[in-house]
Amino acid sequence: MKEGFTDEKKISSNRLCSSAGSYITHWLCIRKAGDYSRYGDGRSGGHGKRGRWREAAQYPATENAADEESKAEAGGETAASQEAAEITYWDTVGSVWDREAKLAMIERFEAENPGITVKYEGMEGEAYKTKIKTVVSANNLPDIFGYWVGEQFKTLVNSGNVEDLSSVFEEDTAFRDTFVPGSLDAVSYDGKVYGAPTSITCMAVWYNKAIFEENGVEVPKTFEDLKGVINTLSDKGVTPIIVGAKDRWPLLGWYSYLAQRIGGVNLYNEVCSGDKNFTEDAYVQAGEEIKALAKKGFINGCMSVDATTAEALFAAGKGAILITGSWSIPTFTEDPERAKDFSYFPFPVVEGGKEDEAGYLYGGVANTLAISRSTKNKDAVVKFLKYMMSEEEQTLSVERTGTFSTVKVSPKEENMDPLAYQFSQYVSDGVEGFIPYTDQALPPEQAENLLNALTAIVAEDNADVKAELAKIK
């Protein structure tokens, strides 16, 4: 992190990203100082730079086992004496590695909590949104589920289907205090806490170094440079950009960065808050640019490629550029030989735009866990939630992906993939601030209209960009 990160100017900039700013700043300042001591000394030992998160399933959690033994000696409740309970857990899943990590975590939890069975279902984002909407209308949410923070989560809370977790945090202050200060604000409404925020993520431009080198192109500094790279690669028969447009939200990585680089952070936040609309000149220009990118740069048939497939294609070397986040790193590093080909760069400056705000990253607090108000096994569900959000489990997650956690953790470089560590350091050292995920910052109906507008702009040759953006209301 740059010197003076905590000066008032930068903190004020981060606050533009609603509640995300203060605790991202806090997290990054901790990493800069290297002071993890007050958060515990983390896990001892390690299992190498890859596979540690999976191997952990094979080892008993000795500290927890000791706790259970002491409880038994004191006549307290042991795991063996728990009443049998089956709980349902739903969440999005971004890759095979993501699914395997969740299953390994569930296996560890069930081993430490005999009598509690977790029935897990993971699905890709758009299908997940649809399914959640269906079960909400039937008042049949799973016992515990992951969701996106922001207006979409607020809508779920307002439906009356989400359990108020205020008492969980009030009665277990030790658990509450493991969260980075301010993080619970992202899931609090009218003084009540409705979730446990899980991660802070951000997206960057990832590229294949080997493809760049083979075709004589360099990392672009400006958007005009990027268009030059795209033209060169396209002329040589190389797919410049892979994007999973079928899922729609990946288009926002391009559109939102362009809108912010052209119009700046203040305008971006004004549009997200509804004070201004998507027909502002900067947003129309961003729409025109993404339309041009779709014609010249995006992979052929991008509207039939989903986000998971896009990630896999990029990891297989089928294209030069992909905008994604740290959650994709396990896929990129699956093949150690190919892993060295991947790196990242900040979205380039748009000349004539807000060139002094090119240090902002697209992201922030991304997800939360929540509990259904209709669960019949609240004690077991809360126990599972606390396990997932424990320092031990969150440390495994951070070390696996480099994604920032909302829990105070102690990740160790030697336990991380080099690429994950490098990316975490890039975010720590290079960030000026964050712009929130657009579809999370908007009310659900408006977010849906935005995704539909971008789909039309990309898919329809004769789409009127301004007319499509005017539909976002």
Side-chain angles (χ1 to χ4, degrees), residues 329-345:
I329 290 175
T331 301
F332 299 163
T333 56
E334 179 180 359
D335 181 344
E337 286 301 310
R338 195 180 291 277
K340 66 181 183 297
D341 291 339
F342 302 114
S343 191
Y344 43 84
F345 57 86

Side-chain angles (χ1 to χ4, degrees), residues 75-337:
E77 180 187 17
T78 66
S81 67
Q82 293 175 13
E83 185 176 345
E86 178 180 277
I87 61 179
T88 52
Y89 165 44
W90 291 6
D91 210 341
T92 58
V93 60
S95 65
V96 172
W97 296 111
D98 188 22
R99 184 184 297 276
E100 288 189 6
K102 285 186 171 71
L103 290 173
M105 177 273 296
I106 290 169
E107 184 178 341
R108 293 190 292 273
F109 172 78
E110 291 179 339
E112 294 182 25
N113 295 275
I116 303 179
T117 302
V118 179
K119 187 177 180 182
Y120 167 65
E121 186 171 354
M123 61 203 84
E124 61 84 22
E126 290 301 306
Y128 188 71
K129 288 179 186 176
T130 300
K131 190 158 186 176
I132 288 290
K133 288 178 183 177
T134 301
V135 296
V136 164
S137 63
N139 192 27
N140 193 30
L141 280 168
D143 293 307
I144 184 168
F145 60 98
Y147 211 64
W148 299 271
V149 301
E151 289 295 320
Q152 296 186 56
F153 184 59
K154 184 178 180 181
T155 298
L156 279 187
V157 171
N158 289 342
S159 75
N161 287 279
V162 180
E163 180 73 6
D164 176 7
L165 300 182
S166 300
S167 62
V168 172
F169 293 99
E170 290 167 358
E171 295 168 7
D172 189 346
T173 56
F175 175 60
R176 181 194 64 201
D177 292 345
T178 63
F179 287 82
V180 173
S183 58
L184 296 176
D185 294 346
V187 291
S188 298
Y189 306 97
D190 298 325
K192 298 178 180 180
V193 184
Y194 288 92
T198 58
S199 62
I200 300 167
T201 65
C202 58
M203 299 174 75
V205 187
W206 292 78
Y207 74 105
N208 188 307
K209 294 187 291 184
I211 291 177
F212 270 46
E213 292 170 5
E214 290 165 6
N215 291 278
V217 295
E218 298 180 352
V219 172
K221 302 295 184 184
T222 69
F223 189 62
E224 286 302 312
D225 292 341
L226 177 59
K227 289 193 280 190
V229 169
I230 290 168
N231 288 334
T232 298
L233 294 174
S234 182
D235 292 344
K236 292 187 175 186
V238 176
T239 297
I241 299 168
I242 296 178
V243 60
K246 181 179 180 181
D247 286 336
R248 304 182 302 167
W249 65 262
L251 295 171
L252 289 170
W254 290 94
Y255 181 70
S256 298
Y257 262 130
L258 280 164
Q260 183 272 320
R261 294 297 196 259
I262 296 167
V265 174
N266 285 337
L267 177 62
Y268 186 94
N269 284 281
E270 288 174 331
V271 171
C272 286
S273 66
D275 293 335
K276 293 191 176 178
N277 60 51
F278 283 85
T279 58
E280 295 289 329
D281 289 345
Y283 280 76
V284 174
Q285 183 182 341
E288 296 287 359
E289 293 290 2
I290 197 173
K291 182 177 181 179
L293 287 174
K295 290 182 178 179
K296 183 72 174 181
F298 288 179
I299 186 173
N300 289 335
C302 69
M303 296 307 305
S304 63
V305 178
D306 62 28
T308 302
T309 302
E311 184 181 286
L313 288 170
F314 180 74
K318 302 300 183 182
I321 295 170
L322 173 72
I323 289 186
T324 190
S326 58
W327 57 81
S328 297
I329 290 175
T331 301
F332 299 163
T333 56
E334 179 180 359
D335 181 344
E337 286 301 310

Side-chain angles (χ1 to χ4, degrees), residues 456-467:
I457 290 168
V458 167
E460 299 171 12
D461 291 338
N462 298 320
D464 183 321
V465 170
K466 189 169 185 177

